[in-house]
């Protein structure tokens, strides 16, 4: 790809970007939020037509009018929001619209199953071809997307932030698969914000900044600091250092909270915890051990079977999410697009939500447009959200910038209790520094923060106390000094040394 230019109105998403990919390599594409990575990949997959620039495949200039053209030229893309049919089987999804059809023009199911089996064995992509897609975990869905691309004989496989939603174990499996593809002479392009992954997996690195290619590096000859410098144009602190807080009185109390279907296994099983004002309590755990449901139940988005939630002396049980918000709970959900924002609404409207029922945004019966805009401007500035104008739909923001919008809006509530789930998912390294500093500042202003994160490094950099969840229970409750990667890791695997969690509710 040479000199690719793509404008969206006033925004120059790609500003003469170059990318050269060789057969048999894993190529990392990196850059800050809004640098133009996803746009460049959409151009390569025929989803977006560039304003100018050239794509050549094996020396021949090509024009992709749609993904159909790109697929024919050997491109494959693993979408982050998976595009699969939930009620169909894995095999049906993989071969759908491909030529494996029986004489009656119907899908030849047996041939499809065979094709999937063959591919999954060849590349170590473990899936059951007969499983219904609706029942699969994210990691497996991603494997199905990869199989789909391979079935279309993709020579170049594009993955845009594939590990953002994977557990560490699933990430290991994915990397093995990608290395296998490299062995087989294919090309893998991976977009990621995790420099550790870049260094571990890739052969070459292309860095985009403000839509332009600013560096092409050989991974073995560079390091994280150099890559970060190219991305940001400055030196970045990659470590994230813990700074102790000064906790005060208990603010959030959760007692015996149980969530789940009326009969059968609860997803949150009798959890008790408390968070003090001026304290960040971290929740570690392998994804799917009840962390999401715990925060949703506290926020009032999920009914509890039993147990209670209090802020100070104020009982929240039975209150709606809206009432809990008024009582002082703000919430950053894990999924910024589906739950955290309304992608079709403007950035200004998205930032006003939750503030719209009271002054200054509300004036009598109407909303004050000027106040809404200045409210939005402030959050955009504090969180350095890259957006051409606050009136564009939130859905046009890059992934990381949408994440900053949700975090910024919820922190602006200045609520005594803040629940945060994966606050820096998809966010670039500079913005992680900023969000971490702001979370510490929020705590130091005397608020209680309950933070769930899949990044152990993030928890270590922020949490004053660390809880570990396993099977819906809190299986470890560790003071700052007690938490090590080792004992946290053991507890996450269900092997807590201190098997009985202390009841910290007071
Ligand atoms: N459909 C669109 N309409 C308007 N602007 C867009 C559209 N798609 C992307 N942009 C803008 O183009 C710029 C580049 O966005 P892109 O999604 O390519 O960034 P990115 O490097 O993938 O960022 P991230 O790391 O946050 O995912 C951003 O400023 C974004 O707001
Ligand atoms: Mg992106």
């Amino acid at each position: 790809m040479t000199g690719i230019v793509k404008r969206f109105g006033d925004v120059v998403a790609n500003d003469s970007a170059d990318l050269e990919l060789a057969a048999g390599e894993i190529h990392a594409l990196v850059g800050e939020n809004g640098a133009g990575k996803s746009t460049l990949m959409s151009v390569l997959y025929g989803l977006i037509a560039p304003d100018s620039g050239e794509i050549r495949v094996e020396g021949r200039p090509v024009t992709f009018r749609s993904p159909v053209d790109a697929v024919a030229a050997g491109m494959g893309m693993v979408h982050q929001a998976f595009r699969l049919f939930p009620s169909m089987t894995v095999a049906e999804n993989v071969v759908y619209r491909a030529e494996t059809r029986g004489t009656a023009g119907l899908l030849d199911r047996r041939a499809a199953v065979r094709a999937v089996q063959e591919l999954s064995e060849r590349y170590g992509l473990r899936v059951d071809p007969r499983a219904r897609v609706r029942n699969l975990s994210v990691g497996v869905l991603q494997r199905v997307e990869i199989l789909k691309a391979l079935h279309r004989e993709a020579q170049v496989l594009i993955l845009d932030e594939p590990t953002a939603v994977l557990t560490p174990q699933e990430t290991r499996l994915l990397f093995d698969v990608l290395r296998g593809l490299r062995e087989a002479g294919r090309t893998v392009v991976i977009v990621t914000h995790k420099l550790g992954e870049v260094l571990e997996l890739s052969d070459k690195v292309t860095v985009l900044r403000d839509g332009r290619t600013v560096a092409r590096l050989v991974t073995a000859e560079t390091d994280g600091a150099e890559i970060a410098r190219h991305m940001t144009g400055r030196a970045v602190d990659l470590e994230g250092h813990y700074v102790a807080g000064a906790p005060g009185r208990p603010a959030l109390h959760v007692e015996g909270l149980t969530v789940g279907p009326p009969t059968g296994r609860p997803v949150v099983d009798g959890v008790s915890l408390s968070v003090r004002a001026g304290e960040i309590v971290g929740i570690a755990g392998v994804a799917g051990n009840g962390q999401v449901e715990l925060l949703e139940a506290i926020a009032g988005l999920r009914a509890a079977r039993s147990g209670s939630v209090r802020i100070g002396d104020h009982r929240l049980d039975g209150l709606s999410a809206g009432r809990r918000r008024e009582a002082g709970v703000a919430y950053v959900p894990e999924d910024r697009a589906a739950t955290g924002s309304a992608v079709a609404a403007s950035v200004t409207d998205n930032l006003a939500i939750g503030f719209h029922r009271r002054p200054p945004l509300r004036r009598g019966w109407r909303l004050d447009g000027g106040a809404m805009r200045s409210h939005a401007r402030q959050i955009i500035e504090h969180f350095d959200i890259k957006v051409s104008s606050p009136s564009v739909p939130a859905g046009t923001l890059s992934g990381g910038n949408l994440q900053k919008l949700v975090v910024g809006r919820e922190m602006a509530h200045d609520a005594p209790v803040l629940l945060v789930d994966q606050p820096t998912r998809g966010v670039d390294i500079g913005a992680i520094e900023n969000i971490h500093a702001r979370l510490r500042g929020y705590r130091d202003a005397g608020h209680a923060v309950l933070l769930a994160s899949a990044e152990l490094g993030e928890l270590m950099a922020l949490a004053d106390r660390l809880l570990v969840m396993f099977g819906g229970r809190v299986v470890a409750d560790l003071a700052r000094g007690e938490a090590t990667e080792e004992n946290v890791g053991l507890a996450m695997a269900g092997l807590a040394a201190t098997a009985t969690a202390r009841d910290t509710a007071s």
Side-chain angles (χ1 to χ4, degrees):
M1 305 179 81
T2 325
I4 303 292
V5 176
K6 177 65 198 177
R7 291 191 190 82
F8 294 105
D10 297 338
V11 182
V12 190
N14 287 162
D15 185 6
S16 189
D18 301 325
L19 178 66
E20 192 176 300
L21 304 169
E25 78 175 12
I26 299 179
H27 199 112
L29 179 64
V30 302
E32 294 191 295
N33 295 132
K37 304 175 298 292
S38 294
T39 303
L40 190 65
M41 293 302 94
S42 295
V43 168
L44 185 57
Y45 194 60
L47 289 163
I48 291 179
D51 300 326
S52 60
E54 191 184 41
I55 307 177
R56 276 175 291 147
V57 176
E58 285 169 359
R60 279 188 318 274
V62 290
T63 307
F64 299 155
R65 273 166 308 243
S66 76
V68 177
D69 293 342
V71 167
M75 305 300 136
M77 184 148 176
V78 176
H79 294 281
Q80 193 160 47
F82 303 117
R83 301 178 178 193
L84 300 169
F85 298 101
S87 60
M88 285 166 48
T89 65
V90 167
E92 287 162 351
N93 267 283
V94 169
V95 304
Y96 180 74
R97 270 171 176 279
E99 19 341 287
T100 327
R101 282 168 192 271
T103 43
L106 294 167
L107 211 64
D108 183 341
R109 289 218 163 73
R110 249 175 310 171
V113 167
R114 264 199 313 277
V116 170
Q117 260 160 355
E118 201 257 322
L119 277 173
S120 71
E121 268 160 42
R122 178 140 43 113
Y123 296 105
L125 284 150
R126 276 184 257 148
V127 288
D128 170 6
R130 293 185 183 83
R132 299 257 161 222
V133 159
R134 116 160 52 81
N135 304 324
L136 302 178
S137 70
V138 208
V140 181
L141 289 176
Q142 190 177 64
R143 274 174 240 159
V144 178
E145 283 278 2
I146 297 174
L147 281 170
K148 213 170 134 181
L150 294 176
H151 187 256
R152 286 158 178 64
E153 295 180 344
Q155 293 304 314
V156 177
L157 190 69
I158 305 163
L159 301 107
D160 196 348
E161 297 190 45
T163 64
V165 292
L166 298 186
T167 63
Q169 291 83 342
E170 287 171 328
T171 299
R172 298 261 72 78
L173 278 174
L174 172 68
F175 285 6
D176 287 342
V177 169
L178 299 182
R179 290 190 183 103
L181 289 169
R182 169 174 63 190
E183 297 282 291
R186 318 259 176 139
T187 305
V188 174
V189 193
I190 174 170
V191 177
T192 177
H193 288 290
K194 299 177 187 170
L195 292 180
E197 297 184 347
V198 173
L199 296 173
E200 180 196 333
L201 184 70
S202 74
D203 304 298
K204 293 208 194 110
V205 186
T206 294
V207 186
L208 287 185
R209 188 156 96 220
D210 296 331
R212 205 167 295 152
T213 301
V214 293
R216 304 174 192 217
L217 308 163
V218 175
T219 310
E221 295 165 4
T222 186
D223 57 31
E226 189 189 6
I227 297 172
R229 219 163 36 239
H230 283 299
M231 286 168 56
T232 61
R234 64 184 173 97
V236 180
D237 178 7
L238 295 177
E239 287 299 313
H241 297 284
Y242 173 70
V243 187
R249 299 160 62 80
L252 173 70
H253 304 261
V254 175
E255 270 161 60
L257 197 66
T258 297
V259 179
T263 54
R265 241 182 93 69
V267 278
V268 175
D269 194 356
V271 167
S272 297
L273 60 87
S274 72
V275 187
R276 293 187 282 172
E279 184 182 44
I280 301 178
V281 171
I283 303 177
V286 174
N289 278 283
Q291 303 94 311
V292 174
E293 292 83 359
L294 172 64
L295 295 193
E296 284 181 349
I298 299 173
L301 291 166
R302 192 180 272 273
R305 213 153 87 181
S306 57
S308 76
V309 178
R310 277 187 295 131
I311 294 185
D313 293 328
H314 191 161
R315 288 184 70 104
L316 303 186
D317 308 311
L319 296 185
S320 68
R323 290 261 176 263
R324 289 181 194 220
R325 197 172 259 289
E326 284 164 20
V329 182
Y331 175 45
V332 176
E334 164 187 53
D335 188 335
R336 59 192 171 223
T339 321
S341 62
V343 289
S346 72
V347 168
T348 302
D349 287 352
N350 268 280
L351 288 171
I353 293 199
F355 294 90
H356 61 289
R357 290 180 202 278
R358 53 179 199 267
L361 298 200
R362 175 93 173 230
R363 281 264 173 84
W365 288 103
R366 8 186 31 197
L367 284 165
D368 181 334
M372 279 172 70
R373 279 189 294 277
S374 73
H375 172 79
R377 248 196 317 274
Q378 225 172 53
I379 300 174
I380 289 170
E381 210 169 281
H382 282 170
F383 285 84
D384 193 22
I385 302 171
K386 197 176 166 192
V387 55
S388 55
S389 143
S391 58
V392 301
T396 67
L397 263 60
S398 78
N401 280 300
L402 187 57
Q403 178 70 32
K404 292 189 239 170
L405 177 151
V406 177
V407 174
R409 180 191 62 212
E410 293 306 305
M411 284 182 65
H413 279 288
D414 222 16
V417 174
L418 176 66
L419 313 170
V420 250
D421 205 351
Q422 320 298 337
T424 58
R425 179 176 280 173
V427 159
D428 68 49
I429 44 177
I432 291 176
E433 262 186 324
N434 183 25
I435 290 178
H436 283 183
R438 286 185 187 279
L439 282 170
R440 285 192 198 101
Y442 196 86
R443 169 196 69 184
D444 295 340
H447 300 323
V449 179
L450 186 59
L451 161 76
S453 176
E455 304 289 334
L456 207 45
E458 174 157 274
L459 292 169
M460 291 297 192
L462 290 174
D464 302 306
R465 201 149 58 78
L466 198 60
L467 310 177
V468 183
M469 284 189 78
F470 180 78
R473 298 210 171 114
V474 173
V475 294
D477 176 350
L478 303 163
R480 179 70 211 174
E482 296 170 340
T484 61
E485 296 229 349
E486 193 177 3
N487 59 16
V488 174
L490 284 173
M492 284 170 64
L495 306 165
T498 48
T500 49
R502 259 177 291 149
D503 184 355
T504 58
S506 45

